Amino acid sequence: MTDEADNATDMGRRALLQSAGAAVVTGLVAGTTDARAATQDGMSSAARDEAPLGARLQGVQHFGLTVQNMERAYQFYTEVLGGTEVFRHGDFQGDEVQNTLLADQEIEANARGVNPRTIGVPDLRSGAQRLDVRFIQFDNVVIELLQYREADQPMGSAKSFAEPVEHMSPAFPRMMHICFYVRDDVDFNKFIADLEAESARRGMTQVRANRTIRVMTEADRKAAPRSTNTNRVTAEPSNGWELIYCKGPEGEQLEFVKALGPVKQRFSEALAKRQQTIVR
């Protein structure tokens, strides 16, 4: 094959991949998914909430990576790999943030009788530590970079709250989580309750979701009202997020989210802008 033919083939493959990737992301962000979902357009919200768990998902929304050096990671994913920043948000702190992201780790520290910091749990509750995030858009996936830092360190600092060692707290560098996208018309609180129940039925007792209120024991977590299964974010530019953290069956960190309203629009606009700038 000639160089000219090789180039034409490569361009064709690239165009095909870009089109496929764009179609996947557009489906995730806009809520228009694959052909299987299209057959469910007439399903009522009540019927959807009783459907199998898989029928209530829209797919994977993003992958998250906790980093030690935010600027270094940001440059790698944008300047080296060519991702496009969607938006950044930072200085997260407070009781509700702590409960949503880290309750299971506080329960573990309480059970061991140790200071939560010794197992990698930052103190977002008092604001001694803070959380910053940046979302990077690729053709068919979003990557979220997270950094937990001391309050006296600036955003984008090269110094993280914790050293990069292998632990299960989401605050440790190199700790990743997988985020699943829940359909817009699904009752988020019920989804989490059903997820835990179905997992327990299969013997997967490690699958445990956090609550938005402070719980110090596993019994407290189980007894928490169903309404505490969802953290609804109203602060800009994250307005429209609904989320909760959950451990998977192997102890992996999972997240379940909805992206509604303004934050959904931001992702849609970022994707459209990116598609306009892709060299075909």
Side-chain angles (χ1 to χ4, degrees):
M1 184 178 293
T2 65
D3 291 341
E4 182 176 357
D6 286 340
N7 291 337
T9 299
D10 289 342
M11 289 178 64
R13 288 173 179 166
R14 187 178 304 122
L16 177 62
L17 289 173
Q18 288 172 342
S19 297
V24 170
V25 178
T26 300
L28 293 178
V29 175
T32 56
T33 54
D34 57 15
R36 180 184 63 179
T39 65
Q40 300 174 338
D41 286 347
M43 185 180 290
S44 68
S45 295
R48 178 85 70 188
D49 288 334
E50 296 303 326
L53 290 169
R56 289 179 255 175
L57 295 177
Q58 298 190 72
V60 176
Q61 205 280 329
H62 70 260
F63 292 93
L65 174 65
T66 298
V67 301
Q68 183 178 19
N69 184 323
M70 175 64 89
E71 285 296 337
R72 179 174 61 194
Y74 177 77
Q75 289 176 18
F76 176 77
Y77 284 102
T78 57
E79 297 180 14
V80 177
L81 296 184
T84 302
E85 180 176 340
V86 181
F87 68 90
R88 62 182 65 184
H89 201 171
D91 218 27
F92 287 110
Q93 59 179 302
D95 191 67
E96 189 172 34
V97 175
Q98 184 88 12
N99 296 333
T100 300
L101 303 183
L102 298 157
D104 58 331
Q105 297 299 299
E106 290 190 310
I107 290 173
E108 178 67 20
N110 184 58
R112 293 186 188 183
V114 300
N115 187 317
R117 185 171 183 131
T118 64
I119 61 170
V121 181
D123 182 10
L124 302 177
R125 183 171 287 114
S126 73
Q129 283 83 46
R130 309 293 172 86
L131 169 62
D132 305 321
V133 301
R134 300 182 189 184
F135 289 92
I136 312 299
Q137 174 79 60
F138 288 88
D139 289 338
N140 61 346
V141 73
V142 174
I143 293 178
E144 178 189 16
L145 302 178
L146 308 92
Q147 184 183 40
Y148 293 81
R149 58 176 169 83
E150 301 290 350
D152 61 0
Q153 291 293 316
M155 291 185 185
S157 171
K159 296 182 179 180
S160 64
F161 155 71
E163 59 186 9
V165 293
E166 297 297 332
H167 288 282
M168 295 312 296
S169 166
F172 277 98
R174 295 199 300 267
M175 178 63 184
M176 298 182 69
H177 73 268
I178 303 172
C179 179
F180 293 92
Y181 201 14
V182 179
R183 291 177 178 273
D184 291 1
D185 61 352
V186 165
D187 182 324
F188 199 110
N189 291 320
K190 186 177 186 299
F191 175 85
I192 295 301
D194 289 349
L195 171 67
E196 292 181 335
E198 176 63 14
S199 299
R201 187 182 72 82
R202 296 172 181 269
M204 301 177 183
T205 56
Q206 306 95 320
V207 179
R208 299 190 299 269
N210 288 336
R211 306 292 187 251
T212 60
I213 59 173
R214 191 184 312 190
V215 290
M216 301 305 292
T217 68
E218 178 62 10
D220 289 342
R221 188 194 67 82
K222 288 182 177 179
R226 181 178 286 189
S227 61
T228 65
N229 288 354
T230 308
N231 186 336
R232 292 182 170 86
V233 182
T234 58
E236 297 292 354
S238 298
N239 184 18
W241 274 124
E242 294 185 7
L243 74 148
I244 205 69
Y245 267 32
C246 178
K247 284 295 189 293
E250 304 303 316
E252 69 272 30
Q253 188 65 62
L254 305 179
E255 180 182 9
F256 293 89
V257 305
K258 283 187 181 183
L260 305 171
V263 74
K264 184 174 185 177
Q265 182 63 27
R266 286 190 175 90
F267 280 113
S268 297
E269 291 172 353
L271 176 60
K273 183 177 181 180
R274 177 174 176 78
Q275 290 174 332
Q276 291 174 358
T277 60
I278 291 177
V279 178
R280 299 293 182 180

